[in-house]
PDB file of all heavy atoms in Angstrom:
ATOM      1  N   ASN A 239      -1.430   7.926  -7.377  1.00 74.00           N
ATOM      2  CA  ASN A 239      -0.806   7.099  -8.398  1.00 74.00           C
ATOM      3  C   ASN A 239      -1.722   6.959  -9.604  1.00 74.00           C
ATOM      4  O   ASN A 239      -2.734   7.627  -9.712  1.00 74.00           O
ATOM      5  CB  ASN A 239      -0.430   5.735  -7.819  1.00 74.00           C
ATOM      6  CG  ASN A 239      -1.658   4.906  -7.463  1.00 74.00           C
ATOM      7  OD1 ASN A 239      -2.731   5.457  -7.255  1.00 74.00           O
ATOM      8  ND2 ASN A 239      -1.496   3.606  -7.417  1.00 74.00           N
ATOM      9  N   THR A 240      -1.350   6.096 -10.520  1.00 60.00           N
ATOM     10  CA  THR A 240      -2.141   5.915 -11.734  1.00 60.00           C
ATOM     11  C   THR A 240      -3.510   5.358 -11.394  1.00 60.00           C
ATOM     12  O   THR A 240      -3.730   4.789 -10.344  1.00 60.00           O
ATOM     13  CB  THR A 240      -1.438   4.948 -12.691  1.00 60.00           C
ATOM     14  OG1 THR A 240      -1.168   3.735 -11.993  1.00 60.00           O
ATOM     15  CG2 THR A 240      -0.136   5.540 -13.184  1.00 60.00           C
ATOM     16  N   GLY A 241      -4.396   5.553 -12.297  1.00 60.00           N
ATOM     17  CA  GLY A 241      -5.748   5.062 -12.064  1.00 60.00           C
ATOM     18  C   GLY A 241      -6.559   6.092 -11.312  1.00 60.00           C
ATOM     19  O   GLY A 241      -6.377   7.284 -11.449  1.00 60.00           O
ATOM     20  N   PHE A 242      -7.445   5.628 -10.505  1.00 59.00           N
ATOM     21  CA  PHE A 242      -8.315   6.543  -9.779  1.00 59.00           C
ATOM     22  C   PHE A 242      -7.492   7.391  -8.825  1.00 59.00           C
ATOM     23  O   PHE A 242      -6.629   6.894  -8.139  1.00 59.00           O
ATOM     24  CB  PHE A 242      -9.372   5.776  -8.995  1.00 59.00           C
ATOM     25  CG  PHE A 242     -10.318   5.034  -9.893  1.00 59.00           C
ATOM     26  CD1 PHE A 242     -10.607   3.703  -9.643  1.00 59.00           C
ATOM     27  CD2 PHE A 242     -10.913   5.645 -10.978  1.00 59.00           C
ATOM     28  CE1 PHE A 242     -11.471   3.006 -10.462  1.00 59.00           C
ATOM     29  CE2 PHE A 242     -11.776   4.954 -11.797  1.00 59.00           C
ATOM     30  CZ  PHE A 242     -12.049   3.626 -11.548  1.00 59.00           C
ATOM     31  N   GLN A 243      -7.818   8.663  -8.790  1.00 68.00           N
ATOM     32  CA  GLN A 243      -7.016   9.567  -7.985  1.00 68.00           C
ATOM     33  C   GLN A 243      -7.433   9.500  -6.540  1.00 68.00           C
ATOM     34  O   GLN A 243      -8.510   9.947  -6.166  1.00 68.00           O
ATOM     35  CB  GLN A 243      -7.156  11.006  -8.484  1.00 68.00           C
ATOM     36  CG  GLN A 243      -6.216  11.939  -7.758  1.00 68.00           C
ATOM     37  CD  GLN A 243      -6.460  13.392  -8.082  1.00 68.00           C
ATOM     38  OE1 GLN A 243      -7.519  13.911  -7.772  1.00 68.00           O
ATOM     39  NE2 GLN A 243      -5.513  14.044  -8.703  1.00 68.00           N
ATOM     40  N   LYS A 244      -6.583   8.909  -5.764  1.00 78.00           N
ATOM     41  CA  LYS A 244      -6.793   8.871  -4.331  1.00 78.00           C
ATOM     42  C   LYS A 244      -5.558   9.486  -3.710  1.00 78.00           C
ATOM     43  O   LYS A 244      -4.456   8.960  -3.819  1.00 78.00           O
ATOM     44  CB  LYS A 244      -6.951   7.424  -3.857  1.00 78.00           C
ATOM     45  CG  LYS A 244      -7.158   7.295  -2.365  1.00 78.00           C
ATOM     46  CD  LYS A 244      -7.381   5.846  -1.967  1.00 78.00           C
ATOM     47  CE  LYS A 244      -6.080   5.086  -1.861  1.00 78.00           C
ATOM     48  NZ  LYS A 244      -6.284   3.756  -1.237  1.00 78.00           N
ATOM     49  N   LEU A 245      -5.729  10.642  -3.088  1.00 85.00           N
ATOM     50  CA  LEU A 245      -4.601  11.286  -2.435  1.00 85.00           C
ATOM     51  C   LEU A 245      -4.301  10.583  -1.123  1.00 85.00           C
ATOM     52  O   LEU A 245      -5.175  10.419  -0.291  1.00 85.00           O
ATOM     53  CB  LEU A 245      -4.910  12.757  -2.165  1.00 85.00           C
ATOM     54  CG  LEU A 245      -4.733  13.752  -3.311  1.00 85.00           C
ATOM     55  CD1 LEU A 245      -5.136  15.143  -2.858  1.00 85.00           C
ATOM     56  CD2 LEU A 245      -3.307  13.756  -3.812  1.00 85.00           C
ATOM     57  N   VAL A 246      -3.044  10.196  -0.974  1.00 89.00           N
ATOM     58  CA  VAL A 246      -2.582   9.658   0.298  1.00 89.00           C
ATOM     59  C   VAL A 246      -1.706  10.726   0.934  1.00 89.00           C
ATOM     60  O   VAL A 246      -0.715  11.160   0.336  1.00 89.00           O
ATOM     61  CB  VAL A 246      -1.799   8.353   0.092  1.00 89.00           C
ATOM     62  CG1 VAL A 246      -1.242   7.855   1.418  1.00 89.00           C
ATOM     63  CG2 VAL A 246      -2.694   7.299  -0.546  1.00 89.00           C
ATOM     64  N   PHE A 247      -2.085  11.148   2.110  1.00 92.00           N
ATOM     65  CA  PHE A 247      -1.401  12.249   2.773  1.00 92.00           C
ATOM     66  C   PHE A 247      -0.382  11.750   3.793  1.00 92.00           C
ATOM     67  O   PHE A 247      -0.558  10.695   4.415  1.00 92.00           O
ATOM     68  CB  PHE A 247      -2.421  13.128   3.515  1.00 92.00           C
ATOM     69  CG  PHE A 247      -3.205  14.037   2.622  1.00 92.00           C
ATOM     70  CD1 PHE A 247      -4.392  13.613   2.058  1.00 92.00           C
ATOM     71  CD2 PHE A 247      -2.761  15.323   2.359  1.00 92.00           C
ATOM     72  CE1 PHE A 247      -5.132  14.459   1.238  1.00 92.00           C
ATOM     73  CE2 PHE A 247      -3.492  16.175   1.538  1.00 92.00           C
ATOM     74  CZ  PHE A 247      -4.677  15.733   0.977  1.00 92.00           C
TER      75      PHE A 247
END
Side-chain angles (χ1 to χ4, degrees):
Chain A
N239 68 338
T240 55
F242 295 132
Q243 186 188 64
K244 179 177 81 170
L245 279 178
V246 176
F247 283 89

